[in-house]
Amino acid sequence: MNYRYSRRYAGKLQAVIFDWAGTVVDFGSFAPTQVLIDALGGFGVEIHMAEARVPMGLAKWDHIRALGDMPQVAARWQAKYGRAMSDGDVDAVYEAFMPLQVAKVGQYSQMIPGALDAIAALRAQGIRIGSCSGYPRVVMDTLVAIAADRGYSPDCAIATDDLAAGGRPGPWMALENVIRLGVGDVAACVKVDDTVPGIAEGLAAGMWTVGLSASGNEVGLTHEEWVALSPIEQAKRRAPAVEKLYAAGAHFVVDSIADLPGVIAEINARLAKGERP
């Protein structure tokens, strides 16, 4: 006799797993990008902000490698050094990048407006707060301490070099949060991120995904610059970010973490109907 076991999770959300820069801290995601610009500038190779943002969400070594593979950046490196950027060169840039990132991460990592209230609302519902990042552990330890002083202490913080399997766009950091937070079903988790690799991470882990358009890498403005725009200008800047995040597979896209509680309510309603990510 053949038996088939079927189980469909219909409870409420148990955990939300946040990215860091552009999601909970650092409106516009400037800490990773500007420091990469500074690091490559130290090697005499100019990188523009728009270029630095293209691989955002990847582990930082992979981010540098991806920049070096971009045709326009590769041409500048070739012109400077007479050869293509090697993995050894990536190692050297990464070694220069690391102390700069540790020194400067706090300068950019103010809490995004509405983040603390949104997280408090989640905790009031019994939702656990996880996190992961493209930052390596040495940067994460610095950032976690800074964020704690500013009122944010997630229940779990996974860095991109914590796991042998690697980082985004794979599911491993998100799934490590599931393990450490003791969540019983990935369908009870939401991954919140401002980048395409971060959305891919959540989808690969079998989670609900929420993309953040205005606060993150895709729009790339400070909070002051964003709120200074007219509604028409905001709509123009938001639209391509929303399209890109939905194209990556995000289940929902909102401006910032401040808009998350309403999304959480909608996901809970869909779970109650037996829907899965």
Short mmCIF file of all heavy atoms in Angstrom, two decimals, residues 61-111:
data_model
loop_
_atom_site.label_atom_id
_atom_site.label_comp_id
_atom_site.label_asym_id
_atom_site.label_seq_id
_atom_site.Cartn_x
_atom_site.Cartn_y
_atom_site.Cartn_z
N TRP A 61 33.73 40.00 -1.65
CA TRP A 61 34.74 39.52 -2.60
C TRP A 61 34.10 39.29 -3.96
O TRP A 61 34.66 39.69 -5.00
CB TRP A 61 35.37 38.21 -2.09
CG TRP A 61 36.62 37.81 -2.83
CD1 TRP A 61 37.91 38.04 -2.46
CD2 TRP A 61 36.68 37.10 -4.09
NE1 TRP A 61 38.78 37.53 -3.40
CE2 TRP A 61 38.04 36.94 -4.42
CE3 TRP A 61 35.73 36.60 -4.97
CZ2 TRP A 61 38.48 36.29 -5.58
CZ3 TRP A 61 36.14 35.96 -6.13
CH2 TRP A 61 37.51 35.81 -6.43
N ASP A 62 32.94 38.65 -3.97
CA ASP A 62 32.22 38.41 -5.23
C ASP A 62 31.80 39.72 -5.88
O ASP A 62 31.78 39.83 -7.12
CB ASP A 62 30.99 37.55 -4.98
CG ASP A 62 31.35 36.16 -4.48
OD1 ASP A 62 32.43 35.65 -4.84
OD2 ASP A 62 30.55 35.58 -3.72
N HIS A 63 31.46 40.71 -5.05
CA HIS A 63 31.08 42.03 -5.57
C HIS A 63 32.25 42.66 -6.31
O HIS A 63 32.09 43.18 -7.43
CB HIS A 63 30.65 42.90 -4.38
CG HIS A 63 29.97 44.17 -4.75
ND1 HIS A 63 28.97 44.73 -3.99
CD2 HIS A 63 30.15 45.04 -5.79
CE1 HIS A 63 28.55 45.85 -4.56
NE2 HIS A 63 29.28 46.06 -5.63
N ILE A 64 33.43 42.60 -5.72
CA ILE A 64 34.62 43.17 -6.37
C ILE A 64 34.93 42.40 -7.65
O ILE A 64 35.26 43.00 -8.68
CB ILE A 64 35.81 43.13 -5.40
CG1 ILE A 64 35.55 44.05 -4.20
CG2 ILE A 64 37.10 43.56 -6.11
CD1 ILE A 64 36.49 43.83 -3.03
N ARG A 65 34.84 41.08 -7.60
CA ARG A 65 35.06 40.27 -8.79
C ARG A 65 34.09 40.65 -9.91
O ARG A 65 34.48 40.78 -11.09
CB ARG A 65 34.91 38.80 -8.44
CG ARG A 65 35.03 37.79 -9.59
CD ARG A 65 36.44 37.65 -10.10
NE ARG A 65 36.78 38.65 -11.10
CZ ARG A 65 38.01 38.84 -11.60
NH1 ARG A 65 39.02 38.09 -11.16
NH2 ARG A 65 38.23 39.76 -12.49
N ALA A 66 32.83 40.84 -9.56
CA ALA A 66 31.81 41.22 -10.54
C ALA A 66 32.11 42.60 -11.12
O ALA A 66 31.92 42.82 -12.33
CB ALA A 66 30.42 41.20 -9.91
N LEU A 67 32.57 43.53 -10.28
CA LEU A 67 32.95 44.85 -10.80
C LEU A 67 34.10 44.72 -11.79
O LEU A 67 34.09 45.34 -12.86
CB LEU A 67 33.35 45.77 -9.65
CG LEU A 67 32.23 46.31 -8.77
CD1 LEU A 67 32.80 47.04 -7.56
CD2 LEU A 67 31.32 47.25 -9.57
N GLY A 68 35.10 43.93 -11.43
CA GLY A 68 36.25 43.75 -12.32
C GLY A 68 35.90 43.10 -13.64
O GLY A 68 36.62 43.28 -14.64
N ASP A 69 34.79 42.37 -13.67
CA ASP A 69 34.34 41.72 -14.90
C ASP A 69 33.46 42.62 -15.76
O ASP A 69 33.15 42.27 -16.91
CB ASP A 69 33.58 40.43 -14.57
CG ASP A 69 34.49 39.35 -14.02
OD1 ASP A 69 35.71 39.41 -14.25
OD2 ASP A 69 33.97 38.43 -13.33
N MET A 70 33.02 43.75 -15.20
CA MET A 70 32.22 44.68 -16.00
C MET A 70 33.10 45.28 -17.09
O MET A 70 34.21 45.74 -16.80
CB MET A 70 31.63 45.77 -15.11
CG MET A 70 30.59 45.26 -14.12
SD MET A 70 30.09 46.50 -12.88
CE MET A 70 29.34 47.73 -13.95
N PRO A 71 32.67 45.28 -18.36
CA PRO A 71 33.56 45.70 -19.46
C PRO A 71 34.20 47.07 -19.24
O PRO A 71 35.41 47.24 -19.49
CB PRO A 71 32.62 45.71 -20.67
CG PRO A 71 31.58 44.69 -20.34
CD PRO A 71 31.36 44.81 -18.86
N GLN A 72 33.43 48.05 -18.76
CA GLN A 72 34.00 49.39 -18.62
C GLN A 72 35.02 49.46 -17.50
O GLN A 72 36.04 50.17 -17.60
CB GLN A 72 32.88 50.44 -18.42
CG GLN A 72 32.08 50.31 -17.14
CD GLN A 72 30.90 49.37 -17.24
OE1 GLN A 72 30.95 48.38 -17.96
NE2 GLN A 72 29.82 49.68 -16.52
N VAL A 73 34.76 48.72 -16.41
CA VAL A 73 35.73 48.68 -15.31
C VAL A 73 36.95 47.86 -15.71
O VAL A 73 38.10 48.24 -15.41
CB VAL A 73 35.08 48.11 -14.04
CG1 VAL A 73 36.09 48.02 -12.90
CG2 VAL A 73 33.88 48.97 -13.62
N ALA A 74 36.72 46.75 -16.40
CA ALA A 74 37.83 45.93 -16.88
C ALA A 74 38.76 46.74 -17.79
O ALA A 74 39.99 46.60 -17.73
CB ALA A 74 37.30 44.71 -17.62
N ALA A 75 38.16 47.61 -18.61
CA ALA A 75 38.97 48.44 -19.52
C ALA A 75 39.84 49.42 -18.73
O ALA A 75 41.00 49.66 -19.08
CB ALA A 75 38.06 49.18 -20.49
N ARG A 76 39.30 49.98 -17.66
CA ARG A 76 40.08 50.91 -16.83
C ARG A 76 41.22 50.18 -16.12
O ARG A 76 42.33 50.71 -16.00
CB ARG A 76 39.17 51.61 -15.82
CG ARG A 76 38.18 52.57 -16.44
CD ARG A 76 37.24 53.17 -15.39
NE ARG A 76 35.94 53.41 -16.00
CZ ARG A 76 34.78 53.23 -15.40
NH1 ARG A 76 34.74 52.82 -14.15
NH2 ARG A 76 33.65 53.47 -16.03
N TRP A 77 40.91 48.99 -15.60
CA TRP A 77 41.97 48.20 -14.95
C TRP A 77 43.06 47.84 -15.95
O TRP A 77 44.26 47.92 -15.66
CB TRP A 77 41.37 46.95 -14.32
CG TRP A 77 42.35 46.20 -13.45
CD1 TRP A 77 43.26 45.29 -13.86
CD2 TRP A 77 42.52 46.34 -12.03
NE1 TRP A 77 43.99 44.83 -12.80
CE2 TRP A 77 43.57 45.46 -11.66
CE3 TRP A 77 41.88 47.10 -11.05
CZ2 TRP A 77 43.99 45.33 -10.34
CZ3 TRP A 77 42.31 46.98 -9.74
CH2 TRP A 77 43.35 46.10 -9.39
N GLN A 78 42.66 47.42 -17.12
CA GLN A 78 43.60 47.07 -18.19
C GLN A 78 44.48 48.26 -18.55
O GLN A 78 45.70 48.13 -18.72
CB GLN A 78 42.84 46.58 -19.42
CG GLN A 78 43.71 46.14 -20.59
CD GLN A 78 44.32 44.77 -20.42
OE1 GLN A 78 43.70 43.90 -19.81
NE2 GLN A 78 45.52 44.56 -20.93
N ALA A 79 43.86 49.43 -18.65
CA ALA A 79 44.62 50.63 -18.99
C ALA A 79 45.62 50.99 -17.89
O ALA A 79 46.72 51.48 -18.18
CB ALA A 79 43.67 51.80 -19.23
N LYS A 80 45.26 50.73 -16.65
CA LYS A 80 46.13 51.07 -15.52
C LYS A 80 47.26 50.07 -15.36
O LYS A 80 48.41 50.45 -15.11
CB LYS A 80 45.29 51.13 -14.24
CG LYS A 80 46.06 51.38 -12.96
CD LYS A 80 46.63 52.78 -12.90
CE LYS A 80 47.34 53.02 -11.57
NZ LYS A 80 47.93 54.39 -11.51
N TYR A 81 46.95 48.77 -15.51
CA TYR A 81 47.92 47.73 -15.17
C TYR A 81 48.38 46.88 -16.36
O TYR A 81 49.26 46.03 -16.20
CB TYR A 81 47.34 46.82 -14.09
CG TYR A 81 47.15 47.55 -12.77
CD1 TYR A 81 45.88 47.96 -12.37
CD2 TYR A 81 48.23 47.84 -11.95
CE1 TYR A 81 45.69 48.64 -11.16
CE2 TYR A 81 48.06 48.52 -10.75
CZ TYR A 81 46.79 48.92 -10.36
OH TYR A 81 46.62 49.61 -9.18
N GLY A 82 47.78 47.08 -17.52
CA GLY A 82 48.22 46.35 -18.70
C GLY A 82 47.80 44.89 -18.70
O GLY A 82 48.34 44.07 -19.45
N ARG A 83 46.82 44.54 -17.87
CA ARG A 83 46.32 43.17 -17.79
C ARG A 83 44.93 43.18 -17.17
O ARG A 83 44.53 44.17 -16.56
CB ARG A 83 47.25 42.29 -16.94
CG ARG A 83 47.50 42.86 -15.55
CD ARG A 83 48.42 41.98 -14.72
NE ARG A 83 48.84 42.63 -13.49
CZ ARG A 83 48.09 42.80 -12.42
NH1 ARG A 83 46.84 42.32 -12.42
NH2 ARG A 83 48.55 43.42 -11.34
N ALA A 84 44.24 42.06 -17.34
CA ALA A 84 42.92 41.94 -16.73
C ALA A 84 43.06 41.78 -15.22
O ALA A 84 44.11 41.36 -14.71
CB ALA A 84 42.19 40.73 -17.32
N MET A 85 42.00 42.12 -14.51
CA MET A 85 41.99 41.93 -13.07
C MET A 85 41.96 40.44 -12.74
O MET A 85 41.05 39.72 -13.16
CB MET A 85 40.77 42.62 -12.43
CG MET A 85 40.72 42.49 -10.91
SD MET A 85 39.18 43.14 -10.17
CE MET A 85 39.47 44.90 -10.27
N SER A 86 42.95 39.96 -12.01
CA SER A 86 43.03 38.56 -11.62
C SER A 86 42.35 38.34 -10.27
O SER A 86 42.03 39.30 -9.56
CB SER A 86 44.49 38.12 -11.52
OG SER A 86 45.12 38.79 -10.43
N ASP A 87 42.19 37.08 -9.90
CA ASP A 87 41.64 36.81 -8.58
C ASP A 87 42.58 37.32 -7.49
O ASP A 87 42.14 37.73 -6.41
CB ASP A 87 41.40 35.31 -8.40
CG ASP A 87 40.14 34.83 -9.11
OD1 ASP A 87 39.39 35.68 -9.65
OD2 ASP A 87 39.89 33.61 -9.13
N GLY A 88 43.88 37.29 -7.77
CA GLY A 88 44.83 37.85 -6.81
C GLY A 88 44.63 39.35 -6.63
O GLY A 88 44.77 39.87 -5.52
N ASP A 89 44.31 40.02 -7.73
CA ASP A 89 44.00 41.45 -7.63
C ASP A 89 42.73 41.68 -6.82
O ASP A 89 42.65 42.63 -6.02
CB ASP A 89 43.82 42.05 -9.03
CG ASP A 89 45.09 42.05 -9.85
OD1 ASP A 89 46.18 42.22 -9.27
OD2 ASP A 89 44.99 41.86 -11.08
N VAL A 90 41.75 40.81 -7.01
CA VAL A 90 40.52 40.91 -6.22
C VAL A 90 40.85 40.75 -4.74
O VAL A 90 40.34 41.48 -3.89
CB VAL A 90 39.48 39.87 -6.67
CG1 VAL A 90 38.24 39.92 -5.77
CG2 VAL A 90 39.08 40.11 -8.12
N ASP A 91 41.72 39.78 -4.44
CA ASP A 91 42.15 39.60 -3.05
C ASP A 91 42.77 40.88 -2.49
O ASP A 91 42.48 41.27 -1.35
CB ASP A 91 43.18 38.47 -2.95
CG ASP A 91 42.60 37.09 -3.19
OD1 ASP A 91 41.37 36.92 -3.04
OD2 ASP A 91 43.38 36.18 -3.53
N ALA A 92 43.60 41.53 -3.29
CA ALA A 92 44.28 42.74 -2.83
C ALA A 92 43.30 43.88 -2.59
O ALA A 92 43.39 44.60 -1.59
CB ALA A 92 45.34 43.16 -3.85
N VAL A 93 42.35 44.05 -3.50
CA VAL A 93 41.33 45.09 -3.32
C VAL A 93 40.48 44.78 -2.09
O VAL A 93 40.15 45.67 -1.30
CB VAL A 93 40.45 45.22 -4.59
CG1 VAL A 93 39.31 46.21 -4.35
CG2 VAL A 93 41.28 45.65 -5.79
N TYR A 94 40.14 43.51 -1.93
CA TYR A 94 39.33 43.10 -0.78
C TYR A 94 40.07 43.40 0.53
O TYR A 94 39.47 43.89 1.51
CB TYR A 94 39.01 41.61 -0.88
CG TYR A 94 38.12 41.07 0.21
CD1 TYR A 94 36.75 41.23 0.15
CD2 TYR A 94 38.66 40.39 1.30
CE1 TYR A 94 35.92 40.73 1.16
CE2 TYR A 94 37.84 39.88 2.30
CZ TYR A 94 36.49 40.06 2.23
OH TYR A 94 35.67 39.56 3.22
N GLU A 95 41.36 43.11 0.57
CA GLU A 95 42.15 43.38 1.78
C GLU A 95 42.21 44.88 2.07
O GLU A 95 42.23 45.28 3.24
CB GLU A 95 43.56 42.81 1.61
CG GLU A 95 43.62 41.29 1.63
CD GLU A 95 43.06 40.71 2.93
OE1 GLU A 95 43.40 41.23 4.01
OE2 GLU A 95 42.29 39.74 2.85
N ALA A 96 42.23 45.70 1.03
CA ALA A 96 42.20 47.15 1.24
C ALA A 96 40.82 47.62 1.65
O ALA A 96 40.67 48.57 2.44
CB ALA A 96 42.64 47.86 -0.04
N PHE A 97 39.80 46.97 1.12
CA PHE A 97 38.41 47.33 1.40
C PHE A 97 38.03 47.08 2.85
O PHE A 97 37.33 47.89 3.47
CB PHE A 97 37.50 46.53 0.46
CG PHE A 97 36.05 46.48 0.86
CD1 PHE A 97 35.18 47.50 0.54
CD2 PHE A 97 35.56 45.37 1.54
CE1 PHE A 97 33.84 47.44 0.92
CE2 PHE A 97 34.22 45.29 1.91
CZ PHE A 97 33.37 46.34 1.59
N MET A 98 38.47 45.96 3.42
CA MET A 98 37.99 45.51 4.72
C MET A 98 38.20 46.54 5.84
O MET A 98 37.25 46.89 6.55
CB MET A 98 38.62 44.18 5.09
CG MET A 98 38.07 43.01 4.30
SD MET A 98 36.28 42.85 4.49
CE MET A 98 36.17 42.71 6.25
N PRO A 99 39.43 47.04 6.06
CA PRO A 99 39.58 48.01 7.15
C PRO A 99 38.81 49.30 6.91
O PRO A 99 38.33 49.93 7.85
CB PRO A 99 41.09 48.25 7.22
CG PRO A 99 41.62 47.78 5.92
CD PRO A 99 40.72 46.70 5.44
N LEU A 100 38.68 49.71 5.65
CA LEU A 100 37.88 50.89 5.32
C LEU A 100 36.43 50.67 5.69
O LEU A 100 35.77 51.55 6.25
CB LEU A 100 38.01 51.22 3.83
CG LEU A 100 39.32 51.80 3.33
CD1 LEU A 100 39.29 51.90 1.81
CD2 LEU A 100 39.58 53.16 3.95
N GLN A 101 35.91 49.48 5.37
CA GLN A 101 34.50 49.19 5.65
C GLN A 101 34.23 49.14 7.14
O GLN A 101 33.23 49.67 7.63
CB GLN A 101 34.09 47.87 5.00
CG GLN A 101 32.62 47.53 5.12
CD GLN A 101 31.75 48.44 4.29
OE1 GLN A 101 31.44 48.13 3.16
NE2 GLN A 101 31.35 49.57 4.82
N VAL A 102 35.13 48.52 7.88
CA VAL A 102 34.97 48.46 9.35
C VAL A 102 34.98 49.87 9.93
O VAL A 102 34.18 50.22 10.80
CB VAL A 102 36.07 47.60 9.98
CG1 VAL A 102 36.04 47.71 11.50
CG2 VAL A 102 35.91 46.14 9.56
N ALA A 103 35.90 50.70 9.43
CA ALA A 103 36.05 52.05 9.97
C ALA A 103 34.86 52.94 9.65
O ALA A 103 34.49 53.82 10.44
CB ALA A 103 37.33 52.68 9.45
N LYS A 104 34.24 52.73 8.49
CA LYS A 104 33.24 53.67 8.00
C LYS A 104 31.80 53.17 8.07
O LYS A 104 30.87 53.94 7.81
CB LYS A 104 33.55 54.06 6.55
CG LYS A 104 34.85 54.85 6.41
CD LYS A 104 35.04 55.35 4.99
CE LYS A 104 36.28 56.22 4.86
NZ LYS A 104 36.44 56.76 3.49
N VAL A 105 31.58 51.89 8.41
CA VAL A 105 30.22 51.36 8.34
C VAL A 105 29.27 52.12 9.25
O VAL A 105 28.11 52.38 8.90
CB VAL A 105 30.21 49.84 8.64
CG1 VAL A 105 30.58 49.55 10.09
CG2 VAL A 105 28.86 49.24 8.28
N GLY A 106 29.73 52.52 10.41
CA GLY A 106 28.87 53.25 11.33
C GLY A 106 28.50 54.63 10.85
O GLY A 106 27.43 55.17 11.18
N GLN A 107 29.37 55.23 10.04
CA GLN A 107 29.13 56.58 9.52
C GLN A 107 27.86 56.63 8.67
O GLN A 107 27.15 57.63 8.66
CB GLN A 107 30.34 57.01 8.69
CG GLN A 107 30.20 58.34 7.97
CD GLN A 107 31.42 58.64 7.12
OE1 GLN A 107 32.51 58.10 7.33
NE2 GLN A 107 31.25 59.49 6.12
N TYR A 108 27.59 55.53 7.97
CA TYR A 108 26.45 55.49 7.05
C TYR A 108 25.23 54.76 7.62
O TYR A 108 24.14 54.84 7.04
CB TYR A 108 26.86 54.79 5.74
CG TYR A 108 27.94 55.51 4.97
CD1 TYR A 108 29.27 55.11 5.08
CD2 TYR A 108 27.64 56.57 4.13
CE1 TYR A 108 30.27 55.75 4.36
CE2 TYR A 108 28.63 57.22 3.41
CZ TYR A 108 29.94 56.80 3.53
OH TYR A 108 30.94 57.44 2.82
N SER A 109 25.41 54.04 8.72
CA SER A 109 24.38 53.08 9.13
C SER A 109 23.42 53.61 10.18
O SER A 109 23.17 52.96 11.21
CB SER A 109 25.06 51.79 9.61
OG SER A 109 25.77 51.19 8.55
N GLN A 110 22.86 54.77 9.94
CA GLN A 110 21.75 55.25 10.77
C GLN A 110 20.51 54.39 10.51
O GLN A 110 20.34 53.86 9.41
CB GLN A 110 21.45 56.71 10.48
CG GLN A 110 22.62 57.65 10.75
CD GLN A 110 23.06 57.67 12.20
OE1 GLN A 110 22.22 57.58 13.09
NE2 GLN A 110 24.36 57.77 12.45
N MET A 111 19.67 54.27 11.51
CA MET A 111 18.43 53.52 11.33
C MET A 111 17.55 54.18 10.28
O MET A 111 17.42 55.41 10.24
CB MET A 111 17.66 53.43 12.65
CG MET A 111 18.39 52.70 13.77
SD MET A 111 18.82 50.99 13.39
CE MET A 111 17.19 50.28 13.12
#
